[in-house]
Amino acid sequence: MFNRVLIANRGEIALRIGRALRSLGVEVCMIHGREDRLSTPVRFSDDSRPILRSNPLDSYLDIEAVIDAAKSMGVDAIHPGYGFLAENADFVRRLEEEEITFIGPSSDVIRLLGDKIEARKAMEAAGLPVAKGSSESVSSADEAVSLASEIGYPVIIKAAAGGGGIGMQIVHDSSEFSSALNLCQSRARSAFGDDRVFVEKYIEGAQHIEFQVLADGKNAIHFGERFCSIQRRHQKLLEEGPWLSDEVRSEIGSKVCAGAEAVGYRGLATFEFLRDSNGDFYFLEVNPRVQVEHTVTEMITGEDMVQLGIRVAAGESLPLTQEDVKFNGHAIQFRINAEDPRKFVPSPGKLWECHFPGGVGVRVDTHAHVGYDMPGCFDSLLAKMIVWGKDRNEAIARSRAALAETVIIGVDTVIPLHRAILDERDFLDRRVTIRYLENHPSILED
Ligand code: ADP
């Protein structure tokens, strides 16, 4: 096992990774920007280095500064968390050169999976179902129109280097193509520095379902699925699991393991799919890192995902078999974002009062505390509340009680929206697609 690990991240995930490291007996090192110098994960760390930049995001994105900090603290490995440098193949390549272990897959695998066009090809070859779409990038409207008439409308234009739902455009007929293509390309260029886009069948009435995978470079196992259809701007707000029958879980589960093994994957991965109303699955992408919602899987399997990811990075082979993975009960995660619950505009500010719930089956992962100054420059995730019950109904009932005793004063949060969802008929009846919030525009008024 490692002696010291640097967490190149901040917020709730830095705290979460610190817990896993400490329980493995590993020393926790942190980097931090100006805003985070007094943050909970930094205060609990064994060692830390400031990286002060005028743009606060750069404190966590400056590859050479992170490597210098890692060397000065004498760490054996770096945990990237999610976001920032977690999917940056250049960063991982530099760590390989410096012989510092990256807790995640190799730079080659990250590069392959970071390109949605290449990832689609690799996973199709490994036997995963993919939606009809282009196998190369599309640059002209004419090319896109002829492809779309083969695929059938509606189609979606997506960035090859995409992430965070940025730039996606849905196209219903050929007249919309050229402006949609331009828009997607320009968003992709400014967000990812890569304007390659591709066209894919738009799956209507789809549900977002993803599989949690752990692999050691040779073998892979899965920890079942999470249902993540409640999204705002293509970003998840509420996640739950399990969702599928045992038969479907083992059928898709064995496919994702084959996909991970085909690329020599090492570490935690999430295989994301859309499922249409016929029950057919379509591969979307692989997220080669720990995800915000890994907690749902931890609650229903009792396994520590973050710790397992660290152990395989340290060179252990998979410490459990597929048969060892057992599912128990139902869990729901609520992302408590500091945002206006109607318009989702970020709401930074100081927390004057802050009380989180507890009790049987209730877990809160957060770096927030009374007096915490929620910065506006990072993402708006303030806390995650994860609630477990013997079945979905018990999880929902406990969630209502837990949200009722959550108090955050000083910033707006999406708690009122979560409480409204928990009382909404379609949600209770599991009639949820990725358009759930658009289809319930007055959920907060009803
Ligand atoms: P990103 O990496 O930007 O998050 P994804 O490919 O993972 O992009 O898709 C994110 C979300 O965008 C999905 O959960 C879904 O809501 C929507 N989406 C993406 N592709 C399609 C598609 N082919 N049909 C319908 N919706 C899609």
Side-chain angles (χ1 to χ4, degrees):
M1 189 33 72
F2 307 117
N3 292 316
R4 305 193 105 196
V5 169
L6 169 63
I7 303 170
N9 215 300
R10 62 178 301 283
E12 69 83 21
I13 196 65
L15 195 60
R16 168 69 190 89
I17 295 163
R19 281 182 190 138
L21 290 170
R22 237 172 270 121
S23 60
L24 285 165
V26 178
E27 286 185 351
V28 177
C29 301
M30 291 280 306
I31 49 162
H32 63 85
R34 197 170 276 110
E35 291 69 19
D36 291 325
R37 67 195 183 285
L38 300 174
S39 72
T40 318
V42 173
R43 285 167 54 199
F44 289 153
S45 68
D46 297 296
D47 200 355
S48 66
R49 293 286 182 276
I51 298 179
L52 307 179
R53 296 285 180 275
S54 49
N55 175 356
L57 292 173
D58 290 344
S59 299
Y60 300 93
L61 290 172
D62 184 332
I63 292 179
E64 293 309 319
V66 173
I67 291 175
D68 286 346
K71 285 183 180 167
S72 82
M73 288 185 276
V75 306
D76 324 294
I78 298 188
H79 200 306
Y82 52 68
F84 298 121
L85 295 171
E87 296 172 55
N88 186 314
D90 295 335
F91 174 59
V92 181
R93 170 60 38 89
R94 281 288 293 119
L95 295 186
E96 287 161 359
E97 285 165 11
E98 297 286 347
E99 297 182 357
I100 299 171
T101 302
F102 176 74
I103 301 184
S106 68
S107 60
D108 290 341
V109 169
I110 291 199
R111 205 175 295 283
L112 169 77
L113 298 176
D115 183 327
K116 288 190 197 225
I117 302 173
E118 293 305 317
R120 261 175 65 103
K121 275 194 222 162
M123 291 308 148
E124 192 173 15
L128 272 69
V130 301
K132 281 194 209 154
S134 48
S135 50
E136 303 298 332
S137 68
V138 174
S139 48
S140 79
D142 287 348
E143 206 184 325
V145 168
S146 78
L147 200 63
S149 55
E150 266 170 52
I151 299 171
Y153 288 96
V155 298
I156 184 165
I157 314 177
K158 305 205 291 191
I166 296 170
M168 289 177 197
Q169 301 293 318
I170 301 163
V171 181
H172 297 91
D173 68 72
S174 56
S175 66
E176 296 171 9
F177 244 115
S178 87
S179 65
L181 187 67
N182 284 337
L183 197 58
C184 186
Q185 285 171 324
S186 67
R187 297 247 161 98
R189 198 177 310 119
S190 58
F192 315 113
D194 176 350
D195 65 1
R196 289 174 311 125
V197 304
F198 67 106
V199 175
E200 184 175 88
K201 174 83 188 151
Y202 181 77
I203 312 296
E204 299 199 69
Q207 301 189 323
H208 177 117
I209 293 175
E210 59 185 33
F211 273 73
Q212 177 67 62
V213 171
L214 176 74
D216 60 10
K218 289 200 182 75
N219 300 308
I221 53 173
H222 72 86
F223 292 80
E225 75 285 359
R226 298 182 287 255
F227 180 76
C228 315
S229 299
I230 299 192
Q231 305 178 347
R232 56 130 178 76
R233 293 192 209 105
H234 303 302
Q235 288 181 331
K236 299 156 194 162
L237 207 55
L238 181 155
E239 300 99 339
E240 61 179 304
W243 194 260
L244 302 170
S245 67
D246 292 346
E247 294 71 38
V248 177
R249 176 177 312 114
S250 56
E251 183 202 328
I252 306 294
S254 54
K255 290 191 173 161
V256 297
C257 292
E261 288 169 4
V263 297
Y265 198 89
R266 186 190 59 231
L268 293 175
T270 299
F271 281 66
E272 297 193 329
F273 294 88
L274 291 178
R275 187 175 66 158
D276 68 13
S277 45
N278 298 323
D280 290 326
F281 281 77
Y282 302 94
F283 167 79
L284 276 183
E285 64 170 337
V286 182
N287 285 318
R289 55 172 165 81
V290 64
Q291 276 192 291
V292 177
E293 62 273 22
H294 72 277
T295 45
V296 168
T297 304
E298 292 184 330
M299 297 293 266
I300 58 177
T301 63
E303 299 291 345
D304 184 329
M305 290 297 131
V306 177
Q307 198 177 98
L308 288 168
I310 296 167
R311 288 172 60 184
V312 300
E316 276 188 46
S317 20
L318 287 180
L320 63 181
T321 66
Q322 190 63 60
E323 289 65 44
D324 295 331
V325 179
K326 299 273 188 289
F327 300 95
N328 180 24
H330 193 95
I332 309 177
Q333 170 171 278
F334 303 85
R335 296 193 192 199
I336 303 191
N337 297 335
E339 283 171 10
D340 171 295
R342 288 182 176 78
K343 301 206 161 35
F344 306 116
V345 179
S347 172
K350 200 184 261 300
L351 306 186
W352 296 107
E353 212 180 318
C354 186
H355 173 80
F356 288 108
V360 180
V362 178
R363 162 177 172 182
V364 178
D365 279 19
T366 184
H367 58 298
H369 54 84
V370 174
Y372 176 58
D373 206 350
M374 175 81 188
C377 49
F378 299 112
D379 79 39
S380 56
L381 186 63
L382 188 60
K384 310 189 302 203
M385 188 183 96
I386 312 99
V387 182
W388 181 92
K390 283 191 278 300
D391 54 29
R392 188 169 189 258
N393 287 342
E394 187 176 67
I396 289 173
R398 280 184 180 161
S399 299
R400 286 197 191 105
L403 284 170
E405 64 171 80
T406 307
V407 181
I408 296 172
I409 295 179
V411 298
D412 284 337
T413 75
V414 294
I415 291 174
L417 177 61
H418 285 311
R419 296 184 73 181
I421 292 171
L422 286 175
D423 287 331
E424 195 282 319
R425 198 66 256 164
D426 287 334
F427 174 79
L428 296 174
D429 292 343
R430 295 170 44 116
R431 281 196 304 267
V432 178
T433 72
I434 53 176
R435 295 178 60 83
Y436 177 82
L437 286 183
E438 284 148 285
N439 292 340
H440 298 85
S442 51
I443 187 166
L444 273 172
E445 273 64 55
D446 288 347

